[in-house]
Amino acid sequence: MDNQKNEHIQLTRNQKLVLTSSSLGFGLENMDVLFLSFTMSSIIASLHVSAGAAGLIGTITNWGMLLGGVLFGMLGDRFGRVKTFTYTIFVFALATALMSIANNITSIYIFRFIAGIGAGGEYGLGIALIAEAFPKKELGRMSSIASIGGQVGAVAAAIIAAFVIPSLGWHALYLFGLLPIILVFFVRRHIKESAEFLRVKENRKITIIHAIKKYMFADLGTAWTSIGLMIMTTVQIAGYFGLMNWLPSIVEQQSHLSVKGSSLWMISTIIGMSIGMMTFGTIFDKMGPRLSFGIFLLASAVLVYALAYVHSIGLLLIIGAVVGFFSNGMYGGYGAIVSRIYPTEVRSSANNIIVGVGRAVGGMSSLVIGLIMERYSLIVVMLFLSILYLISFTVMMTLPGLKNFDQSSSK
């Protein structure tokens, strides 16, 4: 009895360590990535670069994320989640810090691409650690809790930027990118590889590339499941960047409400997103992916369009929080779905490939929305985002992998 009790205590402690480290990793990654948003205008002014050249920085970062996702995902499935997770943290932390000495656009492109490689690799590894530390029935809630860490990172980026940039300049802000290295030592010291992964590693008979082909693209059903999830994550990222990057400017321009740069806008939206993630995770674990994603995708399609008719700051903040609740509340669910559908052999690779494609393609939504705004009204922009969510809903309902998910959940 005592041995069983001690084993249970140790398991609970390990779960807490895994969840804490993954949440911190996502938060610190998001903090480093968002430093770019707060320094963009300063980079343009100090280095005398065009808006187009500056806008390419984010695109290059997303390309790095896709490459890093594939590379580190495969390394994580081959050699271990813990070691590889710490390598990704070190890469994006060091590359972020190197931005403090960047004095031309070429060096910025290089450093942000490298930072993207590290940041893109981290996601799937953190999710894989969670998936192998918790029961399947809790993955929706646990992955959502970890995703909230990313929102905390966004708040941290805003606070640090507000104090550092006015007094020390934009270069100094990136030195705070070294903070995640502390997490490397914490993870290496306290977290061990799961028994599940070690068992799979010992019995592995095919290469990681062959495993990816076998489990992700073996036939039409598995291929459509993988591609469909990429479409869904593309919509997820497109909606997020479209709303966060453009909405304040859109509203200010067409509804004459001064919310651009408003801390109230960021706070209300992040609160809505965080509550949405917790709610979504609970529904996901109890009701499955079809119902949870169905509710949130359809609500996002309706509420995004409703934003075009807001004409007061108070109402905008409320609806913005509600839109954040639904549109970004789903984010943690993708890791839960992928970790349930794909086996341990390719868990970190599948997570990183699917989300990496979503980031690379969906991250271009800011450019697309900018082009739409040049020709059309706010209504058309919101209609475009609404249609994206409806496309995601349609794709979700056709995925064979989710049918199998529902069947396995009911057993």
Side-chain angles (χ1 to χ4, degrees):
M1 180 70 69
D2 290 338
N3 290 337
Q4 291 178 349
K5 184 177 180 181
N6 290 335
E7 183 179 352
H8 176 72
I9 293 173
Q10 181 62 33
L11 178 62
T12 302
R13 177 176 180 273
N14 181 66
Q15 289 174 334
K16 290 179 179 179
L17 289 172
V18 167
L19 188 60
T20 299
S21 63
S22 296
S23 299
L24 285 172
F26 296 163
L28 291 168
E29 172 211 325
N30 203 34
M31 181 188 76
D32 285 6
V33 170
L34 283 178
F35 280 166
L36 180 62
S37 299
F38 295 105
T39 58
M40 185 68 81
S41 59
S42 299
I43 289 173
I44 293 173
S46 64
L47 300 185
H48 307 290
V49 298
S50 67
L56 189 58
I57 300 173
T59 301
I60 289 175
T61 304
N62 286 331
W63 291 345
M65 284 184 170
L66 177 57
L67 175 61
V70 175
L71 174 63
F72 281 116
M74 293 173 63
L75 290 174
D77 285 329
R78 176 65 180 87
F79 297 106
R81 286 74 159 96
V82 176
K83 284 184 180 179
T84 313
F85 185 67
T86 58
Y87 294 152
T88 64
I89 296 170
F90 185 81
V91 169
F92 79 70
L94 182 60
T96 300
L98 286 173
M99 283 285 290
S100 65
I101 60 171
N103 288 311
N104 57 70
I105 194 65
T106 301
S107 61
I108 289 177
Y109 288 156
I110 294 171
F111 296 149
R112 293 310 294 175
F113 182 75
I114 297 172
I117 290 175
E122 186 200 25
Y123 173 80
L125 294 158
I127 290 295
L129 285 169
I130 292 172
E132 290 156 19
F134 291 90
K136 291 182 178 180
K137 63 181 180 180
E138 298 179 8
L139 282 187
R141 192 162 53 91
M142 293 302 111
S143 59
S144 292
I145 290 173
S147 297
I148 291 174
Q151 304 309 313
V152 175
V155 175
I159 294 173
I160 295 172
F163 285 97
V164 173
I165 294 177
S167 56
L168 300 175
W170 70 267
H171 283 95
L173 178 65
Y174 286 96
L175 289 174
F176 285 84
L178 292 172
L179 287 175
I181 292 179
I182 300 172
L183 181 60
V184 171
F185 295 100
F186 172 84
V187 172
R188 280 296 184 92
R189 182 172 181 179
H190 296 287
I191 298 179
K192 307 297 181 185
E193 295 292 350
S194 68
E196 178 183 347
F197 171 79
L198 293 175
R199 183 173 60 255
V200 168
K201 180 181 178 183
E202 184 178 350
N203 297 323
R204 183 181 291 114
K205 293 181 173 60
I206 59 176
T207 66
I208 298 301
I209 293 177
H210 281 93
I212 291 172
K213 291 168 64 177
K214 175 181 178 181
Y215 294 111
M216 295 187 70
F217 303 101
D219 52 43
L220 287 177
T222 56
W224 174 237
T225 295
S226 300
I227 293 171
L229 287 171
M230 292 176 192
I231 294 172
M232 290 181 68
T233 56
T234 295
V235 172
Q236 178 70 43
I237 301 300
Y240 176 79
F241 280 110
L243 289 172
M244 294 303 101
N245 291 350
W246 273 110
L247 189 58
S249 297
I250 291 173
V251 173
E252 183 176 281
Q253 176 182 337
Q254 301 201 29
S255 299
H256 308 292
L257 301 177
S258 181
V259 296
K260 188 176 182 181
S262 169
S263 59
L264 285 176
W265 165 257
M266 172 173 281
I267 292 170
S268 65
T269 304
I270 288 178
I271 289 174
M273 288 177 179
S274 300
I275 297 174
M277 287 175 181
M278 286 302 302
T279 305
F280 179 90
T282 301
I283 297 174
F284 181 99
D285 288 335
K286 292 184 177 181
M287 305 294 184
R290 287 179 182 271
L291 182 60
S292 54
F293 272 99
I295 293 171
F296 276 65
L297 285 169
L298 292 177
S300 296
V302 173
L303 290 167
V304 163
Y305 190 72
L307 276 168
Y309 296 94
V310 175
H311 295 287
S312 72
I313 292 180
L315 186 58
L316 177 68
L317 294 176
I318 293 171
I319 295 184
V322 175
V323 170
F325 177 97
F326 286 105
S327 66
N328 212 47
M330 299 175 281
Y331 186 75
Y334 296 101
I337 283 182
V338 173
S339 298
R340 288 287 300 273
I341 291 177
Y342 301 98
T344 307
E345 289 88 337
V346 294
R347 185 165 288 141
S348 64
S349 296
N351 270 294
N352 275 347
I353 290 170
I354 288 169
V355 174
V357 170
R359 283 169 167 167
V361 180
M364 298 175 65
S365 66
S366 294
L367 173 62
V368 175
I369 290 174
L371 294 174
I372 294 175
M373 282 199 60
E374 289 180 358
R375 298 175 179 269
Y376 305 101
S377 67
L378 173 62
I379 299 294
V380 177
V381 174
M382 295 310 175
L383 182 61
F384 167 72
L385 291 173
S386 292
I387 291 173
L388 287 183
Y389 287 117
L390 293 176
I391 290 172
S392 183
F393 173 81
T394 303
V395 169
M396 183 271 295
M397 294 300 294
T398 67
L399 297 185
L402 294 195
K403 293 180 182 178
N404 297 333
F405 187 109
D406 292 337
Q407 291 169 2
S408 65
S409 298
S410 63
K411 292 181 180 179

